Each structure stands twice: as C-alpha cells, then as structure tokens.
Amino acid sequence: MNRWSDEDFRPVYSSETGRLCPQCGEPVKQCRCRTVTTAPSDGIVRVSFETKGRKGKGVTVIRGIPLVGAELKEYVKSLKKVCGSGGAIKTDAVEVQGDHCAQVMVQLQQQGWKVKVIGR
C-alpha cells in the first residue's frame, strides 16, 4: 500500500520566482486562488473588549470593517496610531491591544460606518 501520492510532492519554492502557492503552483505574488474575500456583512461594524485566551491581557476586537487588503492594513495602522498601541489583523477581526473601545468607536463613526458595542 502506497501512502504517498503525487500531490504530496509538489514544489513550494523556485529559485527563479521564490515561494510558490501550494494550491495552484503559481508564484505567491501572482496567485489567483488566494484572492481575499470578506464574509458577508450586514453593514454594521462591531466593537468588543475581550480577555479570553490571552492570559488576562485585554484587546479591543473590531469585526465587520468593510475594507480588504492594503486598504484595511492602512486603516488599521492609522487606528493603532490613534490608540497609541499595537495590534494585529486576524482572519475575521482586527485586534488592538488594550481597552480602546471609545476611541475606536469615534474613529469608525467618523468614517461613516454604523458601529455597535458588543458585551458592555
């Protein structure tokens, strides 16, 4: 019984183009299968404060921002600058370190988005 198939052995790096996408085999910069898609949104940006799973450290979690890719990165960078703290973009949310719900809400409302606080 052969437990290895041809799909288990495909190139992941090329000295000419660099890293290759594991799904389509194209260079990562030209990959078509990893297009960024957003979850269907109801038009409401939700802000919450969470500590669960973070060893007691709190983060402000923002879900539903209607931006993708480079636009989202730039907006989150400016948001973190306003709050004066770090953060990260996760797959379904943006996390800003610390309790900055009020500051984040003001910034989101200035963009013209409908904002709701969750869990307060």
Side-chain angles (χ1 to χ4, degrees), residues 8-104:
D8 293 329
F9 300 102
R10 71 179 81 141
V12 293
Y13 185 83
S14 168
S15 57
E16 293 176 11
T17 59
R19 292 201 61 216
L20 301 176
C21 175
Q23 277 104 18
C24 66
E26 296 290 323
V28 172
K29 292 180 182 179
Q30 299 169 354
C31 177
R32 292 180 302 267
C33 64
R34 289 195 183 197
T35 56
V36 177
T37 58
T38 58
S41 175
D42 57 358
I44 299 172
V45 180
R46 291 174 170 79
V47 178
S48 63
F49 180 72
E50 297 178 3
T51 57
K52 188 174 181 179
R54 296 175 179 88
K55 298 182 183 176
K57 307 287 185 180
V59 295
T60 302
V61 179
I62 309 155
R63 290 185 171 85
I65 296 178
L67 300 173
V68 293
E71 292 177 333
L72 180 62
K73 270 187 169 180
E74 274 303 310
Y75 186 70
V76 171
K77 184 177 178 181
S78 67
L79 200 59
K80 293 188 301 186
K81 195 173 203 176
V82 166
C83 294
S85 67
I89 300 174
K90 302 291 181 170
T91 55
D92 63 337
V94 173
E95 295 180 354
V96 179
Q97 295 172 351
D99 188 1
H100 300 286
C101 289
Q103 291 172 322
V104 167

